[in-house]
Structures are given as structure tokens and as C-alpha cells.
Amino acid sequence: MSSLNSGVRSRSPDDPGRAHPKVISGEKALKRRKPDRAPGSSKRVPDLNRDDPGDWVIGHHRSGLVLRLEEYRPTKIQSALAGMKEMLQKVPRPGDKKDKTEKEVVLPVATTPSEAATTKIKTKMPLDNKRFRINFAEVQRMKIRKLQCQLVRHVVNMRYDGHESPGWEDTLEQYIKAIQDHDYMETRSKSTRDPFLATGEFSIDNYILNSNINPTLANDSTIKRAYSIFPWEPHDSDDPSRRFEPICGTRSNNIARTSYLGFKDRVLLAALGGAFLIGPMWLMVLHDGELTGLIATTGFVALFGIVMAFFLQEGKDVLASTAAYAAVLVVFVGTSTSSSSETPGASS
């Protein structure tokens, strides 16, 4: 049997040494070699079928399609802030109703004169505490890989045959479009809520995921784990369409959130810039001397350059901003040094 990519050839009855032109398709050959495994279990990656690389691509990306979330572990500061918020929420307010407990409550209800039935009142909770995440960018990477395989096949055929491969222009156009779409998905991932991420951290996404993930996949021990970025929202509503923000958010909320985040970034940058100017000034005034000025200038310029390298993308911008800051400090050091040297002569 030859390799899977070239198909399985049968011997011709006329000439046992020659191969009959009839071939078995790569898809049928793959079916012969596929192991019988349960859905969601570990599976051997099939060989690449040049005519249809879809199964091979799925085999390489299958482990990253569905991830199981680890429970959210906040930092100490976040835990303290969450505790303060919880204490404030527990403060009774006029007109508030009593909180509903999540424990099972059994209430006797007389249905007939002869017997009484018990009605169990429970809060609707999931069968387990497992939550999952699906990143649609992984599916887009699958599409890019599949188009790459098809494009490579076109180029190899053109190099080997010397003739134009049918459909290579459309495949190239689809490949470029898929990469552009992936770049757009990466840009949207920087948003407050990534629309290309279905994650169990949010109740509405968790409802959709639990409605589609079967117990076999949920209990699969080979599924990859991922850390939770946000705290898990509780299951506080039987109706998943109630009290939840629409996907991608509303226009007014997005504008307000963007304005708030922009204002917070500007305030942070203003405070950072003021600290880099006022900090060395206070240090050199309180501890006068040439050595203090040189050490403070060197340290603050180096620290400022590292901060600019973190925030800025272009190297020339980092160099220009660091040089400008160094010039300001050098002028201040020179002025303070000259004034301190002239002070003893003026007093005498």
C-alpha cells in the first residue's frame, strides 16, 4: 500500500507490475485508518489528505477548541475590595426583601384531607461547577491552516505541471481575507468584552455552553484548562435573556465605557509624568550635591526609558521621549548646581 496522500492503487490483471489507474480516494483511506474512539476522548491526528485537509486541521486544533475554566482566584487587593463591596451590599435598606437562601426548603402543603404533600423549593443550580470557554479565534486559525494547505497544493501543482492550477486565485484571495479577519479579531480582543470569546465566566455565555456541551465532553479528563480572567457570574435567573447585557454591548454603554477607560488612562499618564518630573526635583533639592544629581538623573532617565518602551511601539518614539526627558533633567541639574556654587560667594 502506498502513502495515503497518493491513494491506494490496485494491481492490473493484465500486467501485475503495473498499477491500475483507478485509485481509492483519500477520504475512504482515512476512514479505514481512523480508530474507533468515543466523542471527546483523545484521538490520533490523521494523516494529511491533500484533496481534503479538513480532518487533519481539526486534529491539530482539536485540543484548543473547548477549554475548561479554572475557578477565579482574585489577588489580595481584589479580595479586600470585593469584601468591602459585599459588606456594603448587606447593609439593609428600606423596602428590601429578605434574601432567598440556596438551601432546599420543604414546606408541608395540604393537598387532600387524607394526606399532605411536600413541595420542594430550590434555586436552579447547575449539575456541577464546571465552566468552559470557546475561542472563535482558534476556529479562524483552523480556516487559515486549511487554506494554507490548499494554496500550497496549488503552487506545487503549478511548479510540477507548468500549467495554471484552477482556482488558485480564489484560494489566495480567501487566504488573505482570513488573515485580515484574524487581525481584526485580535484587535477586538483588547475590548472590555471580547465578542469572539464564549466563556463561562458570564452567565449568558455559560447558559449557551451548557446547552451544547454534552456530559461526555464535560467529563473528559484530557480537556485543556484555562485560567479565568473575570469572576464567575452567579446563576441568578431562570430566563437567560433577562438582566444581561446584549452581545457586543449597547451603543450608549460602549461609548460610556470607552470614555471612562480613556479618562482613566489619561489620568494615569498625567500622574506618571508628574511623578517623573517632581520626584527627581524633590530628591535633588532635599539632598543637594553633584553626586546626588548625577545618580538621580541616571536612575530616573533609565526608568523613564523602560516605561516608554512598555507604552510606545516605535523605537524612534522611545528614543525621542527619553532624550527629551533627559534634557529636562540635565537642565535642572545644571541650574541647581550653578546656583548652589554661587551661594557661598554671595553670602561672603
Side-chain angles (χ1 to χ4, degrees):
M1 180 180 295
S2 61
S3 62
L4 181 62
N5 295 337
S6 59
V8 181
R9 299 180 180 272
S10 59
R11 296 295 181 182
S12 175
D14 299 332
D15 186 1
R18 296 180 58 187
H20 196 273
K22 181 181 179 180
V23 298
I24 300 177
S25 64
E27 184 179 356
K28 293 182 179 179
L30 279 176
K31 289 182 179 180
R32 293 182 179 180
R33 299 184 62 178
K34 283 183 181 179
D36 188 12
R37 300 289 180 88
S41 62
S42 59
K43 187 177 181 180
R44 186 183 66 85
V45 178
D47 295 332
L48 176 61
N49 180 8
R50 297 178 299 178
D51 296 328
D52 186 10
D55 291 342
W56 179 83
V57 172
I58 293 176
H60 275 273
H61 293 265
R62 190 184 183 194
S63 60
L65 293 178
V66 180
L67 305 177
R68 180 178 173 182
L69 292 178
E70 298 283 354
E71 291 189 8
Y72 177 74
R73 297 179 181 178
T75 60
K76 294 182 179 180
I77 299 178
Q78 292 174 339
S79 300
L81 294 176
M84 295 175 59
K85 183 179 180 181
E86 186 177 356
M87 291 176 59
L88 293 176
Q89 290 177 349
K90 289 182 179 180
V91 175
R93 299 179 182 178
D96 287 349
K97 297 181 180 180
K98 294 183 179 180
D99 296 336
K100 297 181 180 179
T101 60
E102 296 182 356
K103 298 180 179 180
E104 180 178 332
V105 181
V106 181
L107 299 177
V109 180
T111 56
T112 61
S114 60
E115 61 179 345
T118 58
T119 304
K120 296 181 179 180
I121 301 178
K122 301 180 181 179
T123 56
K124 186 176 182 180
M125 296 294 291
L127 298 177
D128 48 34
N129 200 29
K130 297 177 182 178
R131 299 204 180 189
F132 302 90
R133 175 186 296 165
I134 294 179
N135 188 358
F136 299 127
E138 186 70 21
V139 184
Q140 183 66 17
R141 285 189 284 269
M142 287 175 51
K143 180 179 179 180
I144 295 175
R145 180 66 69 183
K146 184 177 179 180
L147 290 172
Q148 183 194 45
C149 295
Q150 296 175 358
L151 191 59
V152 168
R153 180 71 184 278
H154 284 301
V155 175
V156 171
N157 288 340
M158 288 188 292
R159 174 62 181 85
Y160 182 77
D161 299 334
H163 300 287
E164 188 176 18
S165 179
W168 72 270
E169 294 176 333
D170 296 336
T171 305
L172 179 60
E173 184 178 356
Q174 294 174 7
Y175 184 74
I176 297 174
K177 182 65 169 57
I179 294 180
Q180 292 176 348
D181 293 341
H182 185 267
D183 294 340
Y184 173 74
M185 297 172 75
E186 285 188 347
T187 303
R188 288 302 304 267
S189 65
K190 301 176 183 178
S191 306
T192 307
R193 178 75 180 274
D194 187 359
F196 298 103
L197 200 66
T199 174
E201 296 158 308
F202 303 101
S203 296
I204 184 65
D205 291 359
N206 186 57
Y207 177 83
I208 298 173
L209 290 170
N210 288 341
S211 300
N212 289 274
I213 295 178
N214 54 30
T216 303
L217 179 59
N219 297 323
D220 185 9
S221 59
T222 62
I223 193 169
K224 286 186 176 181
R225 305 295 182 96
Y227 291 103
S228 297
I229 305 175
F230 305 101
W232 291 3
E233 291 183 354
H235 305 270
D236 56 353
S237 176
D238 294 338
D239 185 5
S241 63
R242 189 186 310 163
R243 299 198 308 270
F244 293 104
E245 184 179 358
I247 189 170
C248 298
T250 60
R251 184 180 181 87
S252 58
N253 290 341
N254 290 337
I255 293 176
R257 187 182 295 111
T258 304
S259 300
Y260 171 73
L261 294 177
F263 173 75
K264 187 172 67 173
D265 292 341
R266 290 191 295 270
V267 170
L268 177 61
L269 292 177
L272 188 63
F276 271 104
L277 290 176
I278 298 176
M281 181 186 68
W282 276 79
L283 182 61
M284 287 184 284
V285 169
L286 295 178
H287 301 277
D288 192 9
E290 293 184 358
L291 182 60
T292 303
L294 292 176
I295 294 176
T297 302
T298 304
F300 276 95
V301 168
L303 183 60
F304 184 84
I306 295 175
V307 173
M308 291 298 103
F310 178 79
F311 282 102
L312 301 178
Q313 300 293 332
E314 298 292 336
K316 58 181 181 181
D317 296 336
V318 176
L319 179 61
S321 58
T322 305
Y325 177 72
V328 173
L329 289 188
V330 168
V331 171
F332 180 78
V333 170
T335 305
S336 61
T337 304
S338 61
S339 61
S340 61
S341 61
E342 294 175 358
T343 300
S347 59
S348 63

